[in-house]
Amino acid sequence: MATQLTQAAANAACWSCGQAASQLFCEACGKIQPARSADYFSVFRLPRKLHIDTAALERDFYKLSRKLHPDLFARATAQEQEWSTEKTSQLNDAYRTLKDPIARTAYLLELEGIKLEEQSRNATDTARQSGAEKKQVVPPDLLEEVFELNMQLEEMRMNKQMGEDDPGIVRDLQEARTKFEQKMNDLTAELQGHWTEWDALIPAGETEPKDQQGRARVRNLMVDLLNRRSYIRNLLRDVNEALA
Ligand SMILES: [Zn+2]
């Protein structure tokens, strides 16, 4: 389902009783509300913070899923049945995205107007001089390791073609895999540090940061980190393919 990023009014008037109604149901009369486009955080009535209590998120997800279950709308109007189906699908998308740390971060950046693929494509143009045939830019701190790894991968491929065995190369690649897996873990820890910075920018009772400078700064840190992470993930995929 397409992501809809308009900022829906949190409390539009209920179509049935006219009272202020939240995203899913009207608190006053309990009627299901029209399927407005909504960001995934507001589906769960959460501020756009990145540290999320995923156990609470799961409980909310099941609670809301039960309230939206089609069986409960068997005697409702066709319109209400349609809304319940649409909202169920919106709720599923929101839950799937928010429960996953990387998907959640990428989604927040999307809300901030950043498409990560675009980012890495632009970056590639500015750093093509590395000589690597990668679609993505090589993070500067990895240049040497990536250069070495590409040679090892090439050698491994040639060995395979010739039907030769070189335990030395296999061991080198296994070591490289361990090293890059460690880097992935380091990046995850680093990302959580950025989450803390981001969350601190959101004042109590607000859903978004007010400090625009801080917002841009932390946003850029997260973009850079996710790009580095996807670069390393691709390297690991190459290594695993070579070792398979
Ligand atoms: Zn109502």
Side-chain angles (χ1 to χ4, degrees):
M1 187 183 212
T3 313
Q4 291 164 321
L5 301 179
T6 35
Q7 291 205 28
N11 289 301
C14 169
W15 61 274
S16 180
C17 75
Q19 298 289 306
S22 62
Q23 206 51 249
L24 299 174
F25 296 95
C26 169
E27 269 110 70
C29 73
K31 285 283 191 187
I32 188 166
Q33 297 299 301
R36 292 189 290 267
S37 63
D39 75 79
Y40 293 161
F41 291 93
S42 71
V43 167
F44 285 97
R45 307 173 91 174
L46 289 168
R48 294 182 186 178
K49 291 188 176 180
L50 290 167
H51 281 289
I52 282 188
D53 178 348
T54 47
L57 185 77
E58 189 183 18
R59 279 194 302 276
D60 277 357
F61 170 68
Y62 285 115
K63 197 175 74 191
L64 293 169
S65 296
R66 278 194 299 274
K67 288 175 77 173
L68 288 171
H69 198 279
D71 288 356
L72 297 177
F73 296 88
R75 277 189 292 271
T77 64
Q79 179 64 269
E80 286 169 277
Q81 288 180 16
E82 194 185 312
W83 288 339
S84 84
T85 309
E86 284 169 6
K87 280 178 185 294
T88 297
S89 137
Q90 195 178 46
L91 181 68
N92 289 342
D93 290 345
Y95 178 60
R96 201 179 314 118
T97 302
L98 292 186
K99 76 174 176 182
D100 178 78
I102 302 301
R104 182 196 312 152
T105 310
Y107 179 71
L108 178 94
L109 292 173
E110 208 180 311
L111 287 177
E112 292 287 308
I114 294 162
K115 283 257 185 281
L116 287 167
E117 295 93 314
E118 281 300 317
Q119 280 280 320
S120 59
R121 206 170 299 140
N122 291 340
T124 308
D125 295 337
T126 55
R128 255 278 139 87
Q129 59 266 48
S130 67
E133 279 184 291
K134 289 284 166 187
K135 287 185 283 302
Q136 289 173 296
V137 61
V138 184
D141 58 319
L142 294 178
L143 271 173
E144 227 171 289
E145 281 157 306
V146 168
F147 181 73
E148 202 184 320
L149 180 68
N150 280 330
M151 296 213 302
Q152 289 164 348
L153 285 170
E154 189 51 38
E155 204 170 327
M156 184 76 181
R157 272 180 216 116
M158 284 181 7
N159 284 347
K160 273 187 179 174
Q161 268 173 15
M162 317 278 279
E164 282 170 14
D165 254 348
D166 184 347
I169 285 294
V170 172
R171 203 181 47 237
D172 286 347
L173 285 175
Q174 283 165 343
E175 277 167 18
R177 176 163 63 188
T178 308
K179 200 163 55 189
F180 286 116
E181 278 168 352
Q182 182 56 47
K183 280 186 192 296
M184 287 287 271
N185 292 338
D186 294 348
L187 285 181
T188 303
E190 202 181 321
L191 179 62
Q192 286 174 356
H194 296 332
W195 287 359
T196 304
E197 285 186 87
W198 174 264
D199 292 358
L201 292 170
I202 302 179
E206 302 280 345
T207 57
E208 294 173 48
K210 282 277 173 283
D211 166 6
Q212 299 305 326
Q213 257 184 324
R215 180 181 198 157
R217 189 183 64 82
V218 182
R219 189 168 63 200
N220 289 340
L221 289 173
M222 291 193 285
V223 169
D224 181 55
L225 193 144
L226 287 196
N227 281 336
R228 277 148 45 98
R229 190 182 180 283
S230 81
Y231 187 85
I232 294 173
R233 195 195 51 212
N234 290 344
L235 284 182
L236 273 170
R237 196 196 50 209
D238 291 349
V239 173
N240 283 326
E241 270 171 24
L243 286 172

